[in-house]
Amino acid sequence: MRFPFLPLTLLVAPAAQAQSASPPPAQGRDVVRESDDAFGRRIGVEDVGLYSESEVRGFDLQSAGNYRIEDHYFVRAAGLLQPVTEGTAIRVGVSALRTDFAAPSGVVQYSLPDAAPGTRATIEAGWWGGSGPVVLPRLAAATAGGEFGMSAGVQLSLAQRYADGTRGDFVAFGFVPRWRPAPGIRLTGIWSRNLFTRGASTSYSVTGAPPARIRRGTDRTQAWMDVRNTSDLAGVMADIEAGAGWTFGASAFRSSLSYQRNVFSLIRLPQNGAPAEASGLLYGAETRSSISAEVTAAKRFSTGALQHRLLAMIRRRDSMASSDSGAAFQLGQYPDLDNPPERDRPAVALDPRRLRDDVDQWTAGFGYRLSIGDKAEIRADVQRVDYVKQARALDGSVTENASRPWLYGGALSVAITPALTAYASFTRGLEESGVAPANAINRGDILPAAISRQSELGLKFPIRGGPTLIAGLFDLSKPQLGIDARGAFGFVGTVRHRGTELSVAGPLTPRLSVVVGATYLDAHAQGELVDLGLYGVRPMNRPSTVALASATWRAPWIEGLAIDGGVTFRSERYGDRANSFTLPSYAIINLGLRQAITLDGKPFTLRARVTNITDRFAWNVGNSGLLNPIAPRAVTLTLSAAL
């Protein structure tokens, strides 16, 4: 749709240096063993954690733009592709303290591949559960001294069959060059593109509670409902250690997502066994693009036992979205939901006129870090934002809104004992609010940027030779958007998320590693729409409890064999804004194994994994209020090799 313990000084250290060796193929790496907390980590198509790249602590990260590529500011129109991504980590709580100019809800950190001296080729081939066949060759090469290196890859995922029954083809390719022209200077580039064709995604709406289950894997779209898009990413980064405590950074990225055509498919599920009703929207060409750039300068110096770091930053963002308004269509009833009748493409015409949104944003910031030996650290930063959003309607009229808020944040970490660290932080951030929809009396009006706030405190305790324990409390609040009693779209209240996070991650024994985590969320809404009874006091799709337990065990009786498994639990949550019904709790169980072998001196890794092994059915609801079933049981079987 479109829609072991780290010293305190490391918490505010600059970006990590390049790895000294090329990473193994993604399926040869273990996401559990590489996780340092339970908040979110992804390697290849496998992930573990309480949060995802799109949602942290119950809030959407896309509107906040909390993304970084190797610590460089990045505004994405589309996610990073497999051929150019080494991994992804969710930095929240204590792990976010190492992030300059941190934002509420944390930060998603992307890492890129880095080639070691010499040449190395790898290939991963097989079947990815939930999609289909895949071939993913990668090549990494670097000069003997490591001055210049290149990593490149191609993903061929043809003849896919997705969890909703639709089919498609996905092709992605890209490369990451790195150049170290002199000691202390590293230049990194990135370029990638993907071509994607598939059937339309289908969502479901209900009046009241949805059915207990529907059959998954059934294509309920029509033959003419195909979606075609292309995404592109180009960028360059510079990291400079200039000596005398000075470091400089600079980056620029352009991310774009273009649809040649798009279809939104909607099926309404009536009550009392009545036939389902199909409808949707047809779209023509659509383009979303974002340019993001940043320049930083930092100075480290000491005064006695105190370590200081001063940081200055300037950022630029230029985002654009252009599309038509979509042509609504009705396909009538589907008497048998599992055998939808064939229907001709409706005779609807696309409006040639275009809608367009533009965001022009400048941000300047200054930060200060103080380390008091290994006893305590203090962080403070302030930013001034110049945010301008412009919207052009179909009739050519243009509306504009500007916001120039001050943003600020601070953090304190204290070593209570040599192993136990306490931390606390506060952050104020900016997020987009959008444009009033067509059914509002102020249609087309642009809302000012929303201000979000977060405060948190917690403890971190690494066990020597064992796992790291993290416990934290958080409190986030953001304005709530909606249409008020007069019919005007705007800020109608506040949503507040308070909660507790627990994380245990690391080795229990030399052979057994775990990631165990839980979060308790008290989500509460207040404001005009709640007072009128139109919205409930609980935001929809916000489970009070999310918990997971994942483990990897390296078996002693077979060399190279690792067995892994995990369970994720989500408690019941409200399925609509009015809190008229709840969606039941559910647990998902995954099991897998990884066998590393050597043939003719070359390493191979066989990966087998079953997700949702019990084929549990559950509904999830998106921010739009539409429902989608969770993915059914799926099997992944791949072979990775270093050539």
Side-chain angles (χ1 to χ4, degrees):
M1 284 179 60
R2 331 213 273 178
F3 293 84
F5 165 66
L6 289 175
L8 287 173
T9 52
L10 293 183
L11 294 177
V12 292
Q17 296 299 310
Q19 296 184 357
S20 60
S22 298
Q27 293 300 339
R29 299 167 62 193
D30 190 324
V31 68
V32 171
R33 293 178 63 84
E34 294 194 28
S35 296
D36 51 12
D37 58 44
F39 302 130
R41 185 81 165 92
R42 179 173 63 84
I43 297 173
V45 295
E46 297 185 15
D47 56 55
V48 64
L50 297 168
Y51 306 127
S52 70
E53 294 172 44
S54 59
E55 182 182 303
V56 174
R57 292 174 173 172
F59 283 122
D60 178 15
L61 291 185
Q62 186 64 37
S63 59
N66 297 356
Y67 298 96
R68 304 288 186 270
I69 297 180
E70 298 189 344
D71 288 323
H72 291 271
Y73 173 69
F74 172 55
V75 179
R76 70 176 198 174
L80 267 67
L81 302 173
Q82 292 287 337
V84 294
T85 308
E86 180 185 337
T88 306
I90 310 299
R91 298 303 182 194
V92 67
V94 66
S95 65
L97 298 181
R98 69 190 72 170
T99 303
D100 291 324
F101 304 104
S105 299
V107 167
V108 176
Q109 182 76 255
Y110 295 105
S111 56
L112 308 181
D114 193 5
T119 301
R120 176 174 177 170
T122 64
I123 187 168
E124 178 182 345
W127 186 277
W128 281 353
S131 54
V134 62
V135 178
L136 181 53
R138 300 175 187 263
L139 177 66
T143 57
E147 296 86 358
F148 182 79
M150 173 77 76
S151 302
V154 177
Q155 178 184 341
L156 300 175
S157 297
L158 306 177
Q160 305 291 282
R161 183 177 177 88
Y162 300 105
D164 61 2
T166 59
R167 299 178 182 274
D169 298 312
F170 184 94
V171 177
F173 42 91
F175 58 86
V176 177
R178 296 190 190 265
W179 182 33
R180 297 170 176 83
I185 300 177
R186 184 178 68 171
L187 306 178
T188 303
I190 181 173
W191 180 87
S192 66
R193 164 170 281 201
N194 92 283
L195 310 171
F196 191 21
T197 301
R198 63 162 293 173
S201 298
T202 299
S203 294
Y204 301 84
S205 67
V206 296
T207 302
R213 67 183 298 137
I214 61 173
R215 193 168 77 185
R216 291 169 292 186
T218 299
D219 185 359
R220 297 183 174 93
T221 65
Q222 301 293 324
W224 44 269
M225 290 185 180
D226 62 322
V227 176
R228 298 185 180 183
N229 68 49
T230 302
S231 71
D232 292 275
L233 173 62
V236 63
M237 299 174 286
D239 297 282
I240 302 172
E241 296 280 353
W246 283 100
T247 60
F248 300 92
S251 61
F253 303 99
R254 185 183 187 276
S255 174
S256 66
L257 175 63
S258 299
Y259 283 87
Q260 289 71 54
R261 57 175 173 266
N262 198 5
V263 184
F264 168 59
S265 173
L266 177 66
I267 294 180
R268 181 176 175 271
L269 303 175
Q271 300 292 300
N272 305 320
E277 300 175 358
S279 61
L281 289 166
L282 284 172
Y283 294 91
E286 176 186 358
T287 300
R288 298 175 183 269
S289 66
S290 290
I291 296 174
S292 50
E294 180 185 55
V295 176
T296 62
K299 169 68 174 177
R300 288 181 178 275
F301 61 96
S302 302
T303 57
L306 304 181
Q307 299 288 328
H308 309 266
R309 181 170 179 256
L310 299 175
L311 175 68
M313 168 273 290
I314 187 166
R315 291 173 178 167
R316 167 67 174 167
R317 173 193 173 191
D318 187 352
S319 298
M320 182 275 290
S322 175
S323 71
D324 56 57
S325 57
F329 62 84
Q330 301 289 332
L331 297 181
Q333 294 184 340
Y334 282 5
D336 184 350
L337 186 61
D338 296 330
N339 293 283
E342 293 186 8
R343 299 287 167 82
D344 293 334
R345 186 183 188 278
V348 295
L350 295 173
D351 194 325
R353 298 174 297 175
R354 308 291 291 173
L355 298 166
R356 178 170 173 137
D357 288 356
D358 290 273
V359 173
D360 188 335
Q361 179 178 325
W362 287 92
T363 304
F366 180 80
Y368 174 66
R369 308 287 185 270
L370 171 64
S371 299
I372 307 172
D374 59 357
K375 303 299 183 183
E377 288 187 347
I378 300 172
R379 184 196 77 197
D381 54 62
V382 62
Q383 304 173 61
R384 182 63 187 269
V385 181
D386 188 331
Y387 172 93
V388 180
K389 185 177 180 70
Q390 186 180 87
R392 186 179 67 195
L394 292 176
D395 61 6
S397 60
V398 176
T399 56
E400 184 176 291
N401 193 293
S403 301
R404 294 176 176 84
W406 287 93
L407 307 179
Y408 44 83
L412 170 67
S413 57
V414 178
I416 299 175
T417 72
L420 179 63
T421 301
Y423 65 91
S425 70
F426 175 81
T427 310
R428 189 173 190 259
L430 176 145
E431 300 187 9
E432 286 195 60
S433 300
V435 180
N439 60 334
I441 62 173
N442 60 334
R443 171 183 178 178
D445 282 2
I446 300 175
L447 298 186
I451 299 297
S452 59
R453 297 171 177 84
Q454 174 181 273
S455 56
E456 58 184 335
L457 58 87
L459 298 170
K460 179 180 180 180
F461 182 75
I463 300 174
R464 182 182 298 273
T468 297
L469 286 64
I470 301 172
L473 303 173
F474 61 86
D475 186 341
L476 290 97
S477 61
K478 301 184 181 186
Q480 185 175 44
L481 297 170
I483 297 178
D484 63 21
R486 301 180 298 107
F489 181 79
F491 299 127
V492 295
T494 302
V495 179
R496 186 178 184 184
H497 288 187
R498 293 177 292 180
T500 303
E501 295 169 332
L502 298 173
S503 166
V504 179
L508 293 184
T509 73
R511 293 186 176 274
L512 178 63
S513 295
V514 300
V515 173
V516 178
T519 178
Y520 172 77
L521 179 66
D522 178 17
H524 188 88
Q526 60 183 19
E528 178 183 343
L529 298 185
V530 175
D531 296 339
L532 293 173
L534 300 176
Y535 280 17
V537 297
R538 299 294 182 183
M540 63 181 180
N541 201 39
R542 298 294 183 262
S544 62
T545 303
V546 176
L548 68 90
S550 297
T552 293
W553 180 57
R554 292 186 293 174
W557 59 80
I558 300 178
E559 182 67 26
L561 175 63
I563 301 172
D564 62 273
V567 58
T568 301
F569 170 80
R570 292 171 66 89
S571 65
E572 70 175 14
R573 57 260 180 246
Y574 285 104
D576 65 350
R577 292 186 177 89
N579 295 174
S580 66
F581 68 92
T582 59
L583 299 172
S585 61
Y586 67 92
I588 299 297
I589 301 173
N590 306 320
L591 290 174
L593 62 83
R594 179 181 285 104
Q595 177 65 62
I597 58 177
T598 300
L599 297 176
D600 195 24
K602 294 182 173 59
F604 293 79
T605 300
L606 176 66
R607 176 60 168 156
R609 187 170 187 249
V610 183
T611 55
N612 193 4
I613 196 168
T614 63
D615 203 28
R616 183 71 164 86
F617 184 92
W619 292 100
N620 276 333
V621 59
N623 292 332
S624 64
L626 299 177
L627 294 159
N628 288 97
I630 65 173
R633 178 171 51 233
V635 177
T636 291
L637 183 62
T638 62
L639 180 66
S640 303
L643 306 178

